[in-house]
Amino acid sequence: MQAGRSTINDIFNQNKVLEIPFFQRAYVWNTDQWERFLEDMEMVSTNNKPYFLGSVILKQQLTQSTQSVGDRRTVIDGQQRLTTLCIFFKVLSLKLKNEYLANIFRLPMSSFDIALKHNHNDEESFNTVMNLEEELILPATDHILMAYMFFKDNLKVSKINPQNILTNIMFVGIDLSYEDDEQQIFDTINSLGVRLTTAELLKNYFFGRDDYQHYLTYWQNIFEANDEIKKYWDTEIVAGRIRRHFTDLFFYSFLQIKIQDNKYSVKTEDKKQYTKVDGLFDSYKSFISEYKIDKQELIEEIKQYALLFKNNFDLQVLDSELPAESSMERINAIIFGLENTTIIPYILFILKNVSDVTEQKAMFGFLESYLLRRMVCHSNTKNYNSLFSESLINNEILSLKELKEYIENRSADNNYLPTDDELERGFKYSKLVNKQATGILYFIESKLRNRSLHSTAMLGLKSYSLEHVMPKKWENNWPAVVTQQEKEDRNGALMSIGNLTIIPSSLNSSIRDSNWEIKKNGTITRPGLIQYASGLETFSQYLSEDIWDESKINHRANFLFEKAKIIWKVD
């Protein structure tokens, strides 16, 4: 890597081609940026002092002996500034009828080609502007043509000194060798900017200017065909404190499947590196290079898996009533509603390799039982990544029988399947975060509810909130206890699942901390649990109780356990 101060003539030195990655984002500058740019050019023209216009990062390309230009650079950073410069000087050259200014941005060869090669979004418009021989009115159908029209209408030659601009406009120029990591350097310099997604980096890695038809077939039609599809892949979820797009979830999951393929014999240390969420693009490059992966075969397989992903993984399931039977909808609710994204690689593996839909659903049902039992028992999830991204895929577990046997043999490690006794203790004593408790109650409710007996359907999971029946601030309005031990027992009981219920609307704070009678019935102006929980199979029977205390909490914990034991039966 070499870095230093660069002028316009240093960057466009008439013997190198600058290529914006063909599938890079489109040129997006608009009036605000153009006005600022024009003001800067006028200022430099007047004061004749050095002015830094930002960074330009260029990366050396490998060139073939048959290519006419031996120095080809990829524009890693600086696309917007360099494009604007070219358009500005083109308009200036037309107004001044100065051929020299126009030729700064062309190659000194017989072809006289434009030195800056644009991406597929803007190539036609950019070339149209750069090949103009006189000022014309062009339809402002994209930002390139809009920029041309802006400078045509607003650039005043009396305020511009071309030589001062060529002498004084400076960039932080960074030249990278072919081996340098452009993403790391780009992120360091643009730490407050928008990071390129894994999908954008892979797109330019897989496809070049000569692969346009392949791009249309294997990428655009899958990831960018229309706004609806783009919106799907741009869907963002929050898992813990990490924000991730569906594209990143997919490409991470696909890589986990590929590295477990025994035909590649991926080394253990490499697998460990490739399972990291950060540096996913580098993991792809390393995997393809180290294990001699055929890019075309990989691209074809990406298309197959991506279609499966889009047709099955759906965040909108959280807005709708879940079916009672085992299904992909319920798996989606576990993934996105209860933040279990670590199971995605194995679910995708099942969707690709288990063609029998009945078998798929049976496996999904067992996985629900496994995951929800462990959630009730507050079991550790830190080894889920090795289980769902490695073991089950590597061992090609593709039937319910194999899945049961594999999980049941995990009794000696952290991925064990809780017994009924452990499940019972979980309902009585586990203290879960609100999202987990809400999910557990919702999943039980969705199995218990006989829809034909209810005038209203269940809402989606995210429509429910969690309510502590005996409030955390029970000392204010509930019967007192005598001893410190009784107080500790009550505080423990009120945090258990037996004391929790889901309701479709949060209670008013004045009702939430009231005594049982008011909390149950509400007031004239504030509804209570009877209004919100009467239709819930998991709680409605308790609305007739005259008191709500530790014994009732324990009774309901047993009730929920008995239902869950059947719902999540694992034999």
Side-chain angles (χ1 to χ4, degrees):
M1 179 182 74
Q2 295 180 339
R5 187 164 61 175
S6 298
T7 64
I8 295 173
N9 286 324
D10 290 331
I11 293 171
F12 293 94
N13 65 6
Q14 298 194 350
N15 67 2
K16 63 186 173 188
V17 173
L18 309 181
E19 292 189 353
I20 295 170
F22 197 49
F23 301 102
Q24 182 64 284
R25 297 168 181 166
Y27 176 75
V28 295
W29 272 20
N30 55 35
T31 304
D32 289 343
Q33 286 85 19
W34 300 325
E35 287 178 346
R36 170 67 185 275
F37 181 90
L38 185 56
E39 289 173 1
D40 291 343
M41 296 305 103
E42 292 174 353
M43 178 189 68
V44 173
S45 296
T46 301
N47 64 24
N48 196 23
K49 293 180 180 179
Y51 181 82
F52 277 91
L53 200 60
S55 64
V56 172
I57 305 176
L58 306 177
K59 182 172 183 178
Q60 184 71 54
Q61 292 184 20
L62 293 179
T63 55
Q64 306 297 325
S65 58
T66 56
Q67 292 178 330
S68 57
V69 178
D71 192 352
R72 306 181 77 88
R73 309 289 176 96
T74 299
V75 179
I76 304 302
D77 185 36
Q79 168 192 353
Q80 309 291 321
R81 290 181 290 277
L82 296 182
T83 300
T84 306
L85 261 179
C86 289
I87 297 172
F88 169 83
F89 269 98
K90 180 62 184 180
V91 173
L92 183 61
S93 71
L94 293 174
K95 288 181 178 293
L96 294 173
K97 295 181 172 51
N98 186 326
E99 190 174 343
Y100 167 75
L101 294 177
N103 292 342
I104 293 172
F105 305 96
R106 290 186 177 274
L107 301 174
M109 297 180 290
S110 58
S111 63
F112 223 50
D113 285 343
I114 302 166
L116 183 64
K117 304 297 182 183
H118 236 283
N119 59 50
H120 79 288
N121 295 298
D122 301 319
E123 184 177 39
E124 182 177 353
S125 294
F126 183 72
N127 290 348
T128 296
V129 170
M130 296 303 291
N131 288 323
L132 287 173
E133 295 183 357
E134 60 179 326
E135 284 190 80
L136 297 175
I137 297 176
L138 299 178
T141 54
D142 59 34
H143 285 261
I144 293 284
L145 298 177
M146 289 166 60
Y148 163 78
M149 291 301 296
F150 172 85
F151 289 121
K152 175 184 176 299
D153 295 339
N154 294 279
L155 192 160
K156 309 299 182 186
V157 295
S158 60
K159 296 183 178 182
I160 299 297
N161 184 315
Q163 192 56 48
N164 286 356
I165 292 174
L166 291 172
T167 302
N168 290 289
I169 290 296
M170 301 290 174
F171 299 92
V172 177
I174 300 177
D175 288 309
L176 307 180
S177 68
Y178 182 75
E179 294 80 13
D180 286 328
D181 183 351
E182 67 268 30
Q183 182 64 53
Q184 182 182 14
I185 294 169
F186 179 86
D187 287 346
T188 300
I189 293 176
N190 295 279
S191 59
L192 299 180
V194 178
R195 179 182 173 88
L196 293 174
T197 66
T198 299
E200 289 170 317
L201 293 167
L202 284 173
K203 178 170 59 175
N204 284 296
Y205 179 68
F206 286 139
F207 306 102
R209 293 178 181 271
D210 298 329
D211 302 319
Y212 191 64
Q213 192 56 50
H214 274 71
Y215 156 74
L216 294 177
T217 302
Y218 295 104
W219 195 278
Q220 186 186 66
N221 289 338
I222 308 304
F223 298 105
E224 303 170 350
N226 53 52
D227 290 340
E228 182 181 349
I229 289 175
K230 289 179 181 178
K231 182 179 179 181
Y232 172 83
W233 289 110
D234 285 340
T235 299
E236 186 178 67
I237 66 165
V238 179
R241 291 175 293 176
I242 302 175
R243 293 182 177 273
R244 302 177 69 185
H245 291 90
F246 269 17
T247 47
D248 288 328
L249 288 174
F250 165 69
F251 279 108
Y252 176 82
S253 300
F254 176 75
L255 183 61
Q256 303 319 301
I257 293 171
K258 295 305 297 177
I259 65 176
Q260 299 306 328
D261 193 328
N262 292 315
K263 74 178 181 181
Y264 298 125
S265 300
V266 178
K267 294 179 288 188
T268 301
E269 58 268 29
D270 286 340
K271 284 184 179 181
K272 185 176 181 181
Q273 179 63 36
Y274 299 158
T275 56
K276 293 181 178 179
V277 174
D278 294 334
L280 185 54
F281 175 56
D282 289 332
S283 293
Y284 266 91
K285 289 195 298 183
S286 173
F287 174 61
I288 292 169
S289 174
E290 292 295 325
Y291 296 94
K292 308 297 186 291
I293 306 299
D294 185 287
K295 278 190 180 182
Q296 183 56 38
E297 289 182 7
L298 192 68
I299 291 168
E300 291 174 2
E301 200 167 2
I302 285 173
K303 177 179 178 179
Q304 296 171 20
Y305 271 99
L307 288 172
L308 281 172
F309 189 100
K310 184 181 181 303
N311 291 334
N312 287 279
F313 292 93
D314 183 12
L315 186 63
Q316 301 305 313
V317 74
L318 302 181
D319 296 316
S320 306
E321 179 182 17
L322 284 183
E325 66 275 5
S326 299
S327 60
M328 188 64 204
E329 288 90 342
R330 294 179 72 86
I331 289 295
N332 273 312
I334 292 173
I335 292 171
F336 301 119
L338 304 181
E339 296 185 357
N340 278 279
T341 56
T342 50
I343 72 174
I344 291 178
Y346 183 56
I347 298 298
L348 190 58
F349 186 65
I350 292 173
L351 292 169
K352 177 67 165 60
N353 296 287
V354 179
S355 57
D356 187 326
V357 176
T358 302
E359 186 73 10
Q360 279 186 10
K361 289 183 176 180
M363 296 178 73
F364 293 159
F366 180 81
L367 288 172
E368 177 185 330
S369 297
Y370 172 74
L371 292 165
L372 271 295
R373 276 177 172 256
R374 287 179 58 85
M375 191 173 291
V376 171
C377 296
H378 211 238
S379 302
N380 199 312
T381 62
K382 69 177 183 179
N383 290 318
Y384 277 5
N385 194 60
S386 64
L387 176 66
F388 292 108
S389 292
E390 182 175 349
S391 302
L392 294 173
I393 297 174
N394 184 262
N395 289 283
E396 298 184 4
I397 305 299
L398 293 170
S399 71
L400 176 62
K401 181 177 182 295
E402 293 172 329
L403 181 58
K404 281 186 174 182
E405 290 176 351
Y406 190 88
I407 293 296
E408 286 166 359
N409 287 333
R410 303 276 73 75
S411 59
D413 64 27
N414 288 329
N415 289 323
Y416 73 96
L417 174 65
T419 65
D420 286 350
D421 289 341
E422 291 169 310
L423 186 65
E424 182 178 15
R425 289 196 294 272
F427 273 101
K428 290 183 177 180
Y429 305 117
S430 288
K431 296 174 178 58
L432 306 174
V433 298
N434 285 3
K435 182 169 289 188
Q436 292 176 332
T438 301
I440 290 164
L441 292 167
Y442 183 85
F443 271 81
I444 295 174
E445 181 71 32
S446 67
K447 284 281 191 178
L448 292 179
R449 179 171 291 217
N450 184 338
R451 291 162 178 79
S452 64
L453 300 179
H454 288 264
S455 58
T456 58
M458 280 191 74
L459 304 175
L461 173 56
K462 74 178 186 181
S463 297
Y464 288 90
S465 60
L466 192 70
E467 183 67 33
H468 289 73
V469 183
M470 179 186 290
K472 295 179 182 179
K473 298 178 181 179
W474 57 268
E475 294 97 333
N476 297 332
N477 298 300
W478 289 60
V481 292
V482 177
T483 67
Q484 180 64 28
Q485 184 60 52
E486 288 176 324
K487 182 177 181 179
E488 291 176 3
D489 291 344
R490 174 168 289 185
N491 285 332
L494 70 86
M495 298 301 292
S496 69
I497 301 176
N499 187 52
L500 305 175
T501 185
I502 53 172
I503 52 176
S505 181
S506 297
L507 295 177
N508 182 269
S509 58
S510 64
I511 300 295
R512 184 180 302 126
D513 293 330
S514 295
N515 61 41
W516 171 240
E517 187 66 22
I518 294 176
K519 188 160 190 176
K520 180 172 63 171
N521 296 300
T523 64
I524 295 175
T525 58
R526 307 292 188 186
L529 288 173
I530 284 180
Q531 177 167 331
Y532 292 129
S534 291
L536 295 173
E537 296 289 338
T538 49
F539 194 74
S540 59
Q541 62 176 293
Y542 294 97
L543 292 171
S544 61
E545 298 289 350
D546 294 327
I547 62 170
W548 184 262
D549 58 14
E550 291 85 338
S551 66
K552 301 300 183 191
I553 293 173
N554 187 64
H555 184 277
R556 182 162 176 268
N558 283 326
F559 163 75
L560 292 172
F561 160 66
E562 291 296 336
K563 299 300 182 184
K565 181 174 63 172
I566 298 170
I567 292 169
W568 299 322
K569 187 174 182 178
V570 292
D571 295 322

